[in-house]
Amino acid sequence: MGVQSPRFLPCGDTAVTVEFGTEIDDGLNALCLAFDSALADAAIPGVIETLPTYRSVLVQVDPLVIDMPAFEARVHDLLASLQPSGAPPRRWIIPVVYGGEFGIDLEDVARAHGISPEEVIRRHSSRSYRVAMLGFLPGFCYLSGADPSIALPRRISPRLKTPAGTVSIGGVQALFASVEAPSGWHLLGRTPVRNFLPDRDPVFLVGAGDEVVFKPIPAAAWDDLDAAAAAGESVAELVTS
């Protein structure tokens, strides 16, 4: 995969960040996900948990078990033989109600770019997004592939509360949220999809490395889909080839 030597950044005495770059980049992210998978398969004693991100992997370790110089050497061995996954990514169709009470920033985003709200919806929903990572809160999907023509810097004044299922944009990133949370992003719509349900198997529906396409739906469809999702149904369509 043409892997460059990573940086090892200590995070206290119980974790280390293995950093592969400094940019938001699909190639770097694919490397992080492949390394995360290889690290799990290696089952190195003292490695407790891993968290892949856009450009790095946080590795939680037991400092009484793991020897960091030996761990770093093992990482270099893993990277030397790392191969990209040959499996196609899973592709999810995520229903979204745009605008109105579901997407209170839609008209402001349209106004900022001199286009109609319908055009913002068209541009946002015509993209195929890549799930770069889950982060910030359980099940939050950070997406690459956002349309730069509707990008906006994050809000100057973040909101203290935004609804679960919020579909939003901020800077060059896109997101769909899993739980109610503060946010400085621009809210375009909401999805009834619960990406995080602690009592469901799987707990997380959509995962890092998956692809996402947003499908506009009418507000009248919300109640039925939301009730189904609350009962544990995915209400997202998994496209298989």
Side-chain angles (χ1 to χ4, degrees):
M1 295 182 68
V3 180
Q4 61 183 7
S5 181
R7 293 204 303 163
F8 295 87
L9 308 175
C11 301
D13 60 356
T14 61
V16 60
T17 293
V18 183
E19 183 183 73
F20 295 99
T22 59
E23 305 292 333
I24 294 178
D25 176 84
D26 279 354
L28 281 178
N29 182 242
L31 171 58
C32 289
L33 297 181
F35 170 66
D36 182 67
S37 178
L39 198 56
D41 291 341
I44 300 173
V47 172
I48 299 171
E49 189 175 13
T50 61
L51 178 64
T53 72
Y54 278 114
R55 56 188 179 81
S56 63
V57 178
L58 177 70
V59 184
Q60 182 185 2
V61 301
D62 182 343
L64 300 179
V65 174
I66 202 156
D67 175 78
M68 287 309 300
F71 172 72
E72 292 183 15
R74 188 67 183 278
V75 166
H76 285 293
D77 290 342
L78 288 175
L79 293 175
S81 59
L82 197 62
Q83 296 295 325
S85 172
R90 298 187 303 174
R91 187 176 180 88
W92 297 92
I93 308 299
I94 304 294
V96 179
V97 179
Y98 285 93
E101 64 179 297
F102 296 93
I104 57 178
D105 294 322
L106 175 63
E107 292 191 2
D108 287 342
V109 172
R111 191 177 302 112
H113 291 290
I115 57 179
S116 68
E118 292 75 19
E119 179 62 14
V120 174
I121 295 171
R122 188 196 68 79
R123 296 184 190 186
H124 184 264
S125 62
S126 63
R127 311 285 288 191
S128 178
Y129 298 88
R130 185 173 185 274
V131 182
M133 66 176 186
L134 304 185
F136 178 54
L137 288 170
F140 270 46
C141 284
Y142 285 81
L143 310 172
S144 65
D147 189 333
S149 73
I150 57 172
L152 282 179
R154 298 186 189 186
R155 292 171 50 87
I156 295 175
S157 299
R159 296 184 174 96
L160 297 181
K161 183 187 296 184
T162 57
T166 292
V167 174
S168 57
I169 57 173
V172 297
Q173 301 177 84
L175 170 84
F176 84 88
S178 53
V179 297
E180 183 181 280
S183 179
W185 295 41
H186 304 277
L187 315 184
L188 301 184
R190 284 180 68 192
T191 177
V193 174
R194 268 71 163 173
N195 199 46
F196 169 66
L197 281 178
D199 297 326
R200 181 184 60 197
D201 184 16
V203 171
F204 301 111
L205 188 68
V206 180
D210 291 353
E211 292 182 351
V212 164
V213 174
F214 293 116
K215 176 183 177 181
I217 61 172
W222 175 267
D223 287 345
D224 287 345
L225 288 174
D226 189 51
E233 297 182 34
S234 74
V235 306
E237 180 186 352
L238 178 59
V239 179
T240 56
S241 55

